[in-house]
Structure formats: structure tokens, C-alpha cells
Amino acid sequence: MKEKRQGEILSIISSTAVETQEQLLEELKQRGIGATQATISRDIKELHLVKEQTGKGSYRYVQSHRKNAVNVTGRLKTIFREGAVSYDYAQNLVVVKTMPGLGPAAGAALDGMDIPERVGSLAGDDTVLLILRTTESAREFCETIREMLQ
């Protein structure tokens, strides 16, 4: 699913001047692919998409020429995937349980992710508490974690 969605994103930006994530979501929807803003934001980072100015003064997404640069965020996500044991949310709080000693690394991974609704986070030895603005954003982020851990 992720590979198909990301392939479609690359196809879309190569044929259409996409200026916003909302526009990208709409283009995906028209092709029968549903996604959340958080998922699109993550895809943009993973695909190394950047905004480039067009000759008309507007901007559009393109794939960065620096996509082979060291990807610290990717490494942190790998640590997160390897260390996370369980997760759940209650209202606007997301609790991630990790293997003993990996809480700080998982917390650093979460801090390095683009989570627009994040207010803050706390990490202990085997637990990370992520504070989000709304219950809905906490639910969506748990879905993001589920996708990431598959």
C-alpha cells in the first residue's frame, strides 16, 4: 500500500504542478488512494520531496537531488520500529511502550518526525508519552504508528 501510494505521488508530481499537501491528497483521492495529511507529510519526507519555485512565481513539489544524503530521520524511525512494543492513546495522549532502555531512543525518533499536532513528549526507560493537541490527532497518529510498524 505504501509503495503504491508513494509511486503514485511521484507520478503525480512529475505530471502535475502540485503546490500543497491538500492538492496532493485530492490528486491521490481521484486515483482511488485514500490517505491522511500525516501520512502524506511522512511520504513527502521519505521521498525527499521539496518545493521548487516555478517560473511563474509559484512553487511545486519535486524530488530533491540530495535524496542520497544521510537520512537521520530514517535511522531514527528504524530505531523506533525495532524498539516499540505497544502503543495506545487516551484523549490527546499517546503512550508508546518500548523494550527496556529504548524509551529515550524512541522519544528522539518521535521528536525527529514531522508531527504537526505535537505539543511535546516525555521519554522514560521503557515508555514515551506524546502529547498531541486533539483526540483525533492522537487517534490518527496511532494509525501512523500501526502503518510504520508493519
Side-chain angles (χ1 to χ4, degrees):
M1 177 74 144
K2 177 179 174 180
E3 290 81 19
K4 180 181 177 187
R5 184 183 61 248
Q6 288 184 350
E8 282 297 319
I9 289 171
L10 292 175
S11 175
I12 290 167
I13 67 164
S14 69
S15 63
T16 307
V18 177
E19 295 182 38
T20 65
Q21 290 183 11
E22 293 79 19
Q23 185 181 356
L24 188 54
L25 278 168
E26 185 58 36
E27 291 285 336
L28 285 170
K29 188 178 185 182
Q30 290 175 7
R31 293 173 178 180
I33 298 174
T36 65
Q37 186 276 329
T39 300
I40 295 301
S41 181
R42 189 173 55 257
D43 287 342
I44 287 169
K45 280 192 168 191
E46 289 177 9
L47 293 170
H48 303 280
L49 301 184
V50 295
K51 284 193 174 182
E52 178 179 86
Q53 190 169 16
T54 66
K56 300 172 185 166
S58 60
Y59 289 85
R60 68 177 284 170
Y61 281 107
V62 296
Q63 197 162 25
S64 171
H65 300 295
R66 297 186 59 216
K67 66 181 180 180
N68 294 326
V70 175
N71 187 350
V72 174
T73 302
R75 288 181 181 171
L76 288 171
K77 286 181 182 180
T78 299
I79 291 169
F80 182 80
R81 281 193 297 270
E82 296 298 320
V85 174
S86 66
Y87 58 93
D88 203 352
Y89 75 99
Q91 295 183 1
N92 67 320
L93 306 174
V94 175
V95 175
V96 178
K97 296 295 286 179
T98 70
M99 292 188 296
L102 293 182
L110 288 168
D111 286 344
M113 293 179 197
D114 180 26
I115 307 170
E117 294 290 309
R118 179 180 55 231
V119 175
S121 63
L122 297 169
D125 183 62
D126 63 354
T127 305
V128 179
L129 173 65
L130 184 63
I131 302 141
L132 300 169
R133 295 200 184 283
T134 66
T135 300
E136 178 63 18
S137 59
R139 186 197 60 73
E140 285 179 3
F141 189 68
C142 279
E143 176 64 22
T144 299
I145 292 173
R146 185 188 67 72
E147 290 174 11
M148 194 183 323
L149 296 180
Q150 287 183 340

